[in-house]
Amino acid sequence: MPRRPEIRERRQRERRRQRLVFALIVLGAAVVVAAAMLYPRIAPIGEIVQITPVARPLAEGREIGDPSAPVVVELFEDFQCRGCREFTASTEPQLISAYVEAGEARLVFRHYAFIGPESVQAANAALCAEEQGRFWDYHDILFANQVGENQGAFVDRRLVGFAESLGLDLEAFQSCFEESRHEQEIAQDRAAGTELGVTSTPSIVVNGQLVVSTNPGFIPSFGEISAAIEA
């Protein structure tokens, strides 16, 4: 029959073992949490498609053209929207050439970030780039790196990587980005679009009137936008 000192010692060893197991579990959980928090900052950002900055006439913030132009063309877009990318590559340059450069119209970019979380973060990042006078360059690099909806193209680490590739002041950019400084502005743009009848992107508003394509479900063509500008 075991003696009492032996029983007491065995119980103490068991308690020490339990405390050690508990401490290891807590430590393991802490490591997992720390890794989850750190991973977005150190995760590989993947390949970034570089751009060559394109000068836009009288660009100021999110606007292009003469501030006193008689016509205001608002472009409601989502950076994850494939149609927006196509509009930017084809119709937007036509509008700039035909109306902005002539001083007849001013283009204003509006955020209608509705596709998902990456849309909102991309808009946030673009407005942080705007603080450094580089909205349109960041706008272009976003579309150049678009790969689908909520597929990781615009996760936070990549958005910072885009800023780095453009040579932005990273400390200032990250401070703006991490605090979601322009969250309210993004929400206001979307609310304004909804009030004007915007339900999809890209949507074009000319002097406060939504341009609706004669082909239901289609993006308004250059001709349709032109007709609205000249009406």
Side-chain angles (χ1 to χ4, degrees):
M1 185 173 182
R3 290 176 295 179
R4 287 185 178 179
E6 292 176 348
I7 294 174
R8 187 163 51 248
E9 183 178 350
R10 188 164 59 230
R11 288 175 178 172
Q12 289 174 343
R13 285 199 302 269
E14 180 62 22
R15 283 196 292 270
R16 286 196 294 270
R17 188 187 70 80
Q18 290 175 347
R19 285 196 294 267
L20 178 60
V21 170
F22 178 75
L24 289 173
I25 291 173
V26 171
L27 178 61
V31 169
V32 170
V33 171
M37 294 176 65
L38 185 60
Y39 183 75
R41 293 178 177 271
I42 63 174
I45 63 175
E47 182 181 357
I48 291 178
V49 178
Q50 303 296 325
I51 65 157
T52 300
V54 176
R56 290 172 167 88
L58 299 175
E60 182 68 31
R62 292 191 276 156
E63 301 184 6
I64 306 172
D66 187 346
S68 61
V71 177
V72 177
V73 180
E74 297 174 276
L75 313 175
F76 286 86
E77 302 186 42
D78 183 312
F79 286 117
Q80 291 198 93
C81 159
R82 179 172 296 181
C84 297
R85 177 179 177 173
E86 294 171 357
F87 180 89
T88 295
S90 58
T91 308
E92 184 182 291
Q94 290 180 280
L95 292 172
I96 291 173
S97 176
Y99 297 103
V100 177
E101 291 179 352
E104 297 177 20
R106 172 166 53 101
L107 297 189
V108 181
F109 185 97
R110 301 291 189 200
H111 295 285
Y112 200 82
F114 75 108
I115 292 175
E118 290 186 40
S119 301
V120 177
Q121 285 297 73
N124 177 36
L127 290 174
C128 289
E130 182 187 347
E131 290 189 359
Q132 299 185 40
R134 302 289 298 279
F135 172 80
W136 291 103
D137 292 340
Y138 202 91
H139 160 284
D140 290 350
I141 203 170
L142 283 169
F143 281 133
N145 285 275
Q146 185 192 90
V147 296
E149 299 178 2
N150 299 309
Q151 298 297 310
F154 298 154
V155 294
D156 292 1
R157 183 67 187 92
R158 282 183 61 80
L159 294 172
V160 173
F162 298 158
E164 185 175 13
S165 73
L166 290 173
L168 299 185
D169 179 333
L170 280 186
E171 184 176 350
F173 178 87
Q174 286 185 293
S175 175
C176 169
F177 181 68
E178 290 174 4
E179 69 182 54
S180 296
R181 188 175 298 165
H182 297 281
E183 181 178 13
Q184 185 175 358
E185 187 176 352
I186 295 165
Q188 288 173 340
D189 268 9
R190 182 169 177 180
T194 299
E195 188 172 343
L196 290 166
V198 173
T199 58
S200 62
T201 55
S203 284
I204 294 83
V205 174
V206 176
N207 280 348
Q209 297 297 314
L210 181 66
V211 180
V212 179
S213 176
T214 54
N215 293 315
F218 280 73
I219 300 168
S221 66
F222 170 75
E224 291 169 327
I225 300 170
S226 178
I229 291 173
E230 296 179 12

